[in-house]
Amino acid sequence: QRLEEVYNRDPMTGLFNRMAYTEMIGPAFKKYQEEKTACCLAFFDVNYFKEINDSMGHEFGDTILKRIAKILVELQPENGYSYRFGGDEFVVFFPYATKEKAEEFKKNVLSEVERSGISVSVGIVVTNPEMDADLDDYLAQADNLMYEMKNAIKAKR
C-alpha cells in the first residue's frame, strides 16, 4: 500500500500524479459514460511560471504549486479528483457536472488563486455521454481552451 501511495502521488503537492490520472480516470470516465453521467475535466496551467522560477527561485515556485494544489483540493466538488499533471499543470475531474457547476468551479478557483497572488489559465469542458468522444479527446479540448486563455492573457501584457 505504501508503494502504491508513492507511485500514485506527487511528493511535493500530495496530489495524485499523471500516472494515477491514467489509472483512475480512464475506468471512472468509462463507467460514467455508460451511466450517461456528464463529467467535468479542467486543465490548469500557471502563467509565467518559468519567469517566477527564474526571478524568485524554485523554492518560491514550489510554494506556488503547493498553494494551487491546496486550493484545488478544497474547491473540487464531491467525488472529484485533483492531479498534478506535470510541471505547473494540474487536472481536476469530477462527475455529475453541468456547464453551470463547471463554470462556478472555474470562477471559484480563479478567484482564490488570484487572492493568493497567482495567475493561472484554465480550460474546462463538460463531457457529453451521448457523444462518442473519449477521455483523451476531452483532455485535448480542455488543454486547447487553457491555451486560448493563456494567449489572451499574454496579449494583454
Side-chain angles (χ1 to χ4, degrees):
Q1 190 172 359
R2 175 73 180 124
L3 281 176
E4 187 175 317
E5 185 75 14
V6 168
Y7 178 75
N8 286 323
R9 294 279 181 177
D10 173 58
M12 183 195 320
T13 64
L15 295 181
F16 289 109
N17 61 26
R18 190 174 189 154
M19 192 84 64
Y21 167 87
T22 303
E23 291 178 3
M24 295 168 66
I25 298 307
F29 173 75
K30 185 176 180 180
K31 178 184 90 117
Y32 290 122
Q33 283 287 95
E34 290 168 359
E35 295 173 357
K36 304 292 186 212
T37 300
C39 300
C40 176
L41 197 61
F43 198 107
F44 295 88
D45 186 88
V46 181
N47 295 323
Y48 316 113
F49 193 65
K50 182 178 178 346
E51 291 93 331
I52 291 168
N53 274 337
D54 290 348
S55 64
M56 306 291 284
H58 289 274
E59 192 172 314
F60 185 78
D62 291 350
T63 301
I64 287 175
L65 297 177
K66 291 174 192 174
R67 178 68 185 135
I68 292 170
K70 186 174 187 315
I71 291 167
L72 293 178
V73 169
E74 287 173 356
L75 296 178
Q76 73 189 12
E78 189 177 344
N79 299 322
Y81 297 93
S82 295
Y83 300 86
R84 181 171 178 209
F85 212 62
D88 61 333
E89 298 173 334
F90 298 86
V91 171
V92 176
F93 174 90
F94 60 88
Y96 311 107
T98 62
K99 186 161 181 58
E100 295 76 23
K101 191 174 181 180
E103 286 299 323
E104 180 182 343
F105 170 70
K106 175 183 172 180
K107 185 183 93 182
N108 291 342
V109 170
L110 289 175
S111 174
E112 195 61 34
V113 296
E114 286 172 12
R115 199 174 332 199
S116 297
I118 303 166
S119 174
V120 298
S121 293
V122 59
I124 198 158
V125 296
V126 175
T127 66
N128 180 346
E130 303 300 322
M131 288 183 51
D132 194 26
D134 66 19
L135 185 60
D136 289 338
D137 294 331
Y138 287 114
L139 184 64
Q141 190 178 354
D143 186 40
N144 287 336
L145 290 169
M146 181 273 301
Y147 273 105
E148 285 178 18
M149 183 177 182
K150 187 174 278 293
N151 290 334
I153 289 169
K154 283 182 182 177
K156 289 179 185 176
R157 199 173 196 194

